[in-house]
Amino acid sequence: MNVVILAAGQGKRMHSDLPKVLHPLAGRPLLAHVLDTARSLSPDRIVVVYGHGGEVVRDAIGHDGIAWARQEPQLGTGHALAQALPGLDASVPTLVLYGDVPLTRADTLRRLAATAQNGVAVLTVELDDPTGYGRIVREGGEVRRIVEQKDASASERAIREVNTGIMVLPTRELSGWLGRLSNSNAQGEYYLTDVIAMAVADGVSVRAAQPAAVWETLGVNSKVQLAELERIHQRNVATALLEAGVTLADPARIDVRGALAAGRDVSIDVNCVFEGTVELGERVSIGANCVLKNARVAAGTRIEPFCHVEEADIGPLCRIGPYARLRPGTALAEDVHIGNFVEVKAASFGPRSKANHLAYVGDSAVGRDVNVGAGTITCNYDGANKHRTVIEDEVFIGSDTQLVAPVTVGRGATIAAGTTVWKDVPPGALALNEKTQVVKPAYARPRKPAKR
């Protein structure tokens, strides 16, 4: 089939300079969600009709397997679809989707296409309050036409079955129908819905199908609606995780903005955010208020609350946090401990190494069984270039140490507390800076004046 995505609307009620279809849902543009669904159907062609925002929309989405058709000015949905006609294969049907309706499931669209049977198929829903929607007018149970809210009579406005706008149409006939559209209506626009009556008049069958859930057909016209769809989407993701065996402390307080894969017996506390691609191995535990982006966490690792992990590879049985930050390029082996207020960037830690308190380790290779004391930092940046620090196996680094890169600390070496290391330390050696401690007995500390 052909797929046409109508995405030219301005979205005035969004009160934003950003084109409506580029507003994010689960961290990605609305239009990107619709395109993902369209691609999952393996169509022959995808045409996106754009208008408001112009090249901003095209640049944000790209051109991978997409043809673009510009609608300028915007004169209604029928006019929009007409702009896509030159890019369609007339020998196959056309599925019409909308760039601001992001949650429609592929299975629903496959069922809609099967319902068409070489004719027209319309996706409809029944609403308790159909205000604002085009009504499905049936005669003898058969769909005969669609009437828009502003053009409907009192009896037609009482109809609860409404048009979602999503439909499958025979492309060859569609070309003729669009050429016959008129804008003689309350809004002065060329309605795509008018082709339904034309199809009936031409003896083309018109059938209806319904989605499993109304939310599949909900669009975005305001920030309120965008927030409502975000919660629906996140609840669907949470339900899928729960059904797969993941323990969620509160399904209403998790945000997945990408793809989250979890093994058996994974537990996730409240207010966690997962971005990009995140993999959690078996028995992984994620504490409250953590953010993980493009990260892999191996089996048995525990991430304590308030940690930020980005583009990091964490091995099995590690203990991270609380309040730890793992930046891009971090690679931790088995049973590594990264504690509170420790930042790691572009650095590797060997098995059983620990940095438990208040440290910064960047552009470094840390061996196995290394202890990094509190207040230790690698001075990796000279103002223009980054330099590497190498800390070999079984090194003990005392508190408040500065390692001025490039520098290597040999295997089994000990760095005394308060040392600045700017030269390589041989294996097994003790490195310290000579210091003199002066003691003055009976020292009188200055005192504040007494309050009057």
Side-chain angles (χ1 to χ4, degrees), residues 6-18:
L6 305 185
Q10 181 176 359
K12 293 181 180 179
R13 289 163 54 192
M14 300 296 285
H15 300 292
S16 172
D17 293 333
L18 187 68

Side-chain angles (χ1 to χ4, degrees), residues 115-382:
T115 300
Q117 297 181 8
N118 299 318
V120 175
V122 181
L123 193 66
T124 71
V125 292
E126 289 201 8
L127 301 177
D128 292 334
D129 180 7
T131 302
Y133 287 86
R135 307 306 202 276
I136 301 297
V137 179
R138 292 178 180 263
E139 296 176 8
E142 299 296 323
V143 176
R144 308 305 290 175
R145 58 191 177 92
I146 299 173
V147 60
E148 297 296 335
Q149 166 89 18
K150 292 183 178 181
D151 301 300
S153 65
S155 61
E156 289 168 340
R157 286 195 295 270
I159 298 171
R160 293 175 51 203
E161 185 182 13
V162 302
N163 170 45
T164 67
I166 297 172
M167 59 183 70
V168 174
L169 302 148
T171 308
R172 202 177 306 279
E173 290 84 350
L174 173 63
S175 178
W177 296 335
L178 292 176
R180 290 154 51 192
L181 288 178
S182 167
N183 65 347
S184 299
N185 50 60
Q187 296 187 163
E189 294 184 350
Y190 296 92
Y191 295 151
L192 176 59
T193 49
D194 287 348
V195 305
I196 302 303
M198 294 179 186
V200 172
D202 289 350
V204 177
S205 65
V206 179
R207 298 179 175 86
Q210 290 73 40
V214 171
W215 51 256
E216 292 189 58
T217 68
L218 297 179
V220 173
N221 290 301
S222 68
K223 294 291 181 66
V224 172
Q225 293 174 342
L226 179 61
E228 290 171 348
L229 287 196
E230 180 76 38
R231 286 303 98 208
I232 291 170
H233 173 78
Q234 295 298 343
R235 180 66 204 206
N236 291 341
V237 172
T239 298
L241 290 170
L242 291 166
E243 291 175 345
V246 177
T247 298
L248 302 179
D250 184 351
R253 288 189 284 172
I254 180 175
D255 277 68
V256 178
R257 301 168 186 170
L260 173 60
R264 294 175 66 87
D265 297 312
V266 167
S267 64
I268 300 172
D269 211 330
V270 300
N271 299 329
C272 290
V273 178
F274 300 91
E275 300 181 0
T277 300
V278 177
E279 298 178 22
L280 306 180
E282 295 183 354
R283 303 179 307 283
V284 165
S285 173
I286 308 295
N289 303 295
C290 289
V291 178
L292 281 75
K293 181 177 181 179
N294 294 324
R296 188 186 74 88
V297 184
T301 286
R302 183 179 183 87
I303 299 182
E304 302 292 350
F306 296 98
C307 291
H308 283 231
V309 178
E310 181 178 358
E311 296 180 18
D313 192 335
I314 303 174
L317 302 174
C318 292
R319 296 294 177 267
I320 311 298
Y323 295 98
R325 184 183 182 195
L326 305 184
R327 292 171 59 193
T330 296
L332 308 182
E334 180 179 359
D335 196 20
V336 171
H337 291 196
I338 302 295
N340 48 284
F341 302 105
V342 174
E343 179 180 352
V344 181
K345 188 270 294 183
S348 60
F349 276 67
R352 299 175 301 282
S353 290
K354 300 177 181 180
N356 278 327
H357 321 280
L358 301 157
Y360 168 70
V361 181
D363 296 285
S364 302
V366 180
R368 62 172 175 80
D369 299 300
V370 171
N371 181 83
V372 179
T376 295
I377 63 169
T378 56
C379 306
N380 57 325
Y381 183 51
D382 63 9

Side-chain angles (χ1 to χ4, degrees), residues 14-69:
M14 300 296 285
H15 300 292
S16 172
D17 293 333
L18 187 68
K20 180 170 67 170
V21 295
L22 296 185
H23 281 266
L25 182 140
R28 302 178 64 233
L30 293 168
L31 179 54
H33 289 272
V34 182
L35 279 166
D36 283 351
T37 303
R39 289 184 174 117
S40 73
L41 303 174
S42 300
D44 297 291
R45 303 181 187 187
I46 299 176
V47 180
V48 178
V49 180
Y50 72 107
H52 180 73
E55 299 307 313
V56 174
V57 176
R58 293 182 58 172
D59 292 344
I61 298 300
H63 300 267
D64 185 19
I66 305 171
W68 293 86

